[in-house]
Each structure stands twice: as C-alpha cells, then as structure tokens.
Amino acid sequence: MSRRIFNFGAGPALLPAPVMARVQEELRDWHGSGMSVMEMSHRGKEYQGIIQQAEQDLRDLLAIPDQYRVLFLQGGASLQFAMVPLNLLAGRTAAYVETGVWSRKASQEARRFGLVEIAASNSDGAAEVPPQEQWRLPRDCAYLHIAGNETIDGIEFDFVPELGDIPLVSDASSHLLSRPLPVERFGLIYAGAQKNVGPAGLTLVIVREDLLGRADPHTPTMLDYAVHAREHSMYNTPATFAIYVAGLVFQWLKDLGGLTAMEKINMAKAERLYGAIDDSGGFYRNSVAPRNRSRMNVPFFLHDAALDPLFLEEAQAAGLLQLKGHRLLGGMRASIYNAMPLEGVETLVAFLRDFAARHG
C-alpha cells in the first residue's frame, strides 16, 4: 500500500478527493458531449449550464441575497487590490484595517488611485485584530477594507464590523466557504480560488448592485465591475475549467451539509492542531491572540530554529508536505483548508509530538 500524503500548502492547495475523482472521470468527455470542459465554447449551451449551476450553488451555500451579483473573474486577489479602489473610491477616502501582510499590500496598492487612511493596524507587533472601538474612520469614507483571514500571519477576524452605511469590503481568499458568512453585512467580498474554492486562475467577487457603476472614468474596461456584471462574467473568456472545478467543490460542500457542517469540521481540526502546539511545553509556539487564531492557516515556530531543516526533512519523509512557513515570517505553517481531512491533522499532531519527544 502506498503511503498517504497530506499537503499543507497555503495555495494552490489540495482539492477534495471526491472532486478530483469526478474531474478525472469527466475530463475527456463531459456528460456524453464528446468534449472536455477545457475544449468547450464558453458561450455554448453546455458551458452556460455549468457556470449557471455553479453560481446557483454558491448562492445557496452563502445565502447570497438577490441584490448581490456574483462575478467569476481572473487576476487573483492581488488584482482586486486595484479593482476595489478603482470602482469604489469615487473621489473620496478609503479606510483600511491592517492586520497582516495581505491587508498592508491592499492598502499600499489603493494609494495609487486615491486617498487612503489606516483606520487601525497591528503593525506594533500585536498578533491580533484591533478592537473596533479603537478604529478611526475618515469623515468621507468611501468604504472600509479588511482581510478576513491573513494567510501568512494566521490572524482571522472573530467579528464582522458594524459600519452603518459605509460599505464593508473583505478579502476572503483564505476563509471563504470555510464557515457561514453574513453576505448582507458586506458591500463587496472577493477571494482567490486556490485555497477553498478550486484551482488557481479564478477569482470570485460578490458585490452589492448599488456599488456598481461608480468606477473612475479612466478605469480600464476589464477592471470595471459593472461591465462584468452586465455581461454575466462573459465579457471575455472566463477561467472555464477552474469555474467547472469550483462548481464541483460547491456541490461537494452541499452534499456535506453546507457551511454549518463544514465549520464544525474545521473547528475540530483547528482545535486539535492548536492544542498540540499549546501542550508542547514551549517546544512549539503560536503567538496569535487565541480569539484571532486562524482556522485555516496555522503558523508555528520551533523553540530552536536550528531544528527547522531537520523538522521539514522528517515531515516530508512522513508524507507531510509544504509545512515551511512563508519567507516573510519564517518558521512553519500548516494550512488546513476544507479539503484537509481530520486524518491529515491527526497525522501531523502525532508527528509533532514524536519530533518534540526526540529532540526536546
């Protein structure tokens, strides 16, 4: 019997095994059409059925209200760092809450297009989300941007900000579909697909209709949300195969019982892994405030960084892949997205304990 491999990469990340099996089964001939999805015209009836079903299943999972549009775009979350201010600033001031690497990158990009103020930041080194009562918003705030989960720093919001009439914008790349999300509390949500949704190359945008049509007049056509909404994500050729796989992931989640059921599974995995880190007697360390510990991305450090190469070597030999931390943070990081089974986390926990016993 071959050894079971568990991929803890932060993205592109593993996909659910049933989805991969379905893709393999349908790869050369989708439902008797004689074509692979990769070969279909995006405007043909076969593919129109695929993308429409994917959108409906996503709407069902997130209970997306009718006044929101779902866009299947490209360019990753990094392109959204520019698209958001181009479409929403409208000559006013944007506010950003900086909780880690990605929210800081987003605010830096927004400054290319207009005025930006930092409503709150943990740049003083506190590994937590600043409490909302400490935030300072500009008087003419066009929108407030957050990163709901920081993939590198392992910091996740434990609340949805209350902003009144100010649109809330969230980069949800690494936690979308990991738990229920009150879409109606947001003006716009965007996410790169390669964490919990599907293959790299697809970006999801969920935007309230009243925020469309505000783009700066000099905005390139391809960066205008209103254009993509009007053309039903078909202004140009979309990421057809990635959308097809995402649709299968949506179906898989529905079969599991939806996002409430998925959240329970994710909570169990995270509690098991953080418990092993906290119970290691200091051999392993995670410095994020407990209330803001990410359920998706778990960074941790060995008490002696000199052991890092050996840890990674032995982990790979044990079938535990891509545990090296991001180059900006160092240490280790285990990404335990939806598709990571509890068995994978249990195997990692057993390895952590064994390694600590032998090298502590």
Side-chain angles (χ1 to χ4, degrees), residues 53-302:
Q53 187 63 57
E55 176 176 341
Q56 186 57 57
D57 287 339
L58 180 63
R59 286 184 174 277
D60 293 344
L61 284 167
L62 285 167
I64 299 174
D66 291 342
Q67 67 269 30
Y68 285 74
R69 301 298 298 272
V70 173
L71 308 179
F72 295 100
L73 305 181
Q74 301 173 59
S78 293
L79 184 58
Q80 293 306 308
F81 297 166
M83 286 185 73
V84 167
L86 281 170
N87 282 268
L88 301 187
L89 262 178
R92 299 164 67 192
T93 302
Y96 281 69
V97 176
E98 294 183 343
T99 51
V101 172
W102 291 112
S103 52
R104 283 191 277 275
K105 284 181 178 289
S107 68
Q108 290 164 5
E109 185 70 8
R111 287 188 177 94
R112 292 172 172 264
F113 308 104
L115 297 175
V116 170
E117 291 188 13
I118 304 305
S121 174
N122 63 4
S123 58
D124 60 357
E128 63 181 0
V129 175
Q132 188 173 346
E133 57 266 23
Q134 298 177 6
W135 298 3
R136 296 293 179 266
L137 274 62
R139 187 170 300 175
D140 62 338
C141 191
Y143 63 88
L144 181 132
H145 178 284
I146 65 172
N149 181 72
E150 290 280 3
T151 317
I152 294 173
D153 305 81
I155 297 173
E156 186 170 3
F157 269 74
D158 60 326
F159 64 94
V160 177
E162 294 279 1
L163 300 175
D165 294 333
I166 299 172
L168 175 62
V169 176
S170 178
D171 177 353
S173 295
S174 50
H175 70 89
L176 188 71
L177 301 183
S178 69
R179 53 181 169 82
L181 194 66
V183 174
E184 69 279 0
R185 301 270 296 277
F186 296 81
L188 187 149
I189 299 167
Y190 63 88
Q194 65 273 14
K195 318 290 188 182
N196 275 323
V197 176
L202 169 65
T203 308
L204 297 179
V205 172
I206 303 168
V207 56
R208 207 171 62 215
E209 287 183 342
D210 66 293
L211 298 178
L212 299 173
R214 301 185 182 189
D216 182 278
H218 300 292
T219 298
T221 304
M222 279 292 294
L223 303 185
D224 188 336
Y225 292 133
V227 170
H228 293 288
R230 184 178 66 242
E231 300 296 331
H232 303 284
S233 301
M234 292 282 173
Y235 177 76
N236 70 324
T237 305
T240 54
F241 193 76
I243 295 169
Y244 153 71
V245 178
L248 297 182
V249 172
F250 303 156
Q251 292 173 18
W252 172 74
L253 283 166
K254 292 178 80 172
D255 290 343
L256 275 179
L259 300 188
T260 299
M262 190 74 253
E263 180 179 36
K264 291 179 181 177
I265 296 170
N266 285 329
M267 289 176 66
K269 292 187 297 186
E271 288 171 3
R272 192 83 174 93
L273 183 51
Y274 283 115
I277 293 169
D278 292 342
D279 293 342
S280 68
F283 190 90
Y284 306 107
R285 171 179 55 85
N286 173 278
S287 59
V288 177
R291 67 181 176 86
N292 293 134
R293 282 178 164 180
S294 170
R295 297 177 188 170
M296 297 288 98
N297 310 103
V298 182
F300 60 94
F301 300 86
L302 278 66

Side-chain angles (χ1 to χ4, degrees), residues 4-19:
R4 181 75 186 271
I5 299 295
F6 296 106
N7 172 14
F8 292 91
L14 74 172
L15 288 162
V19 169

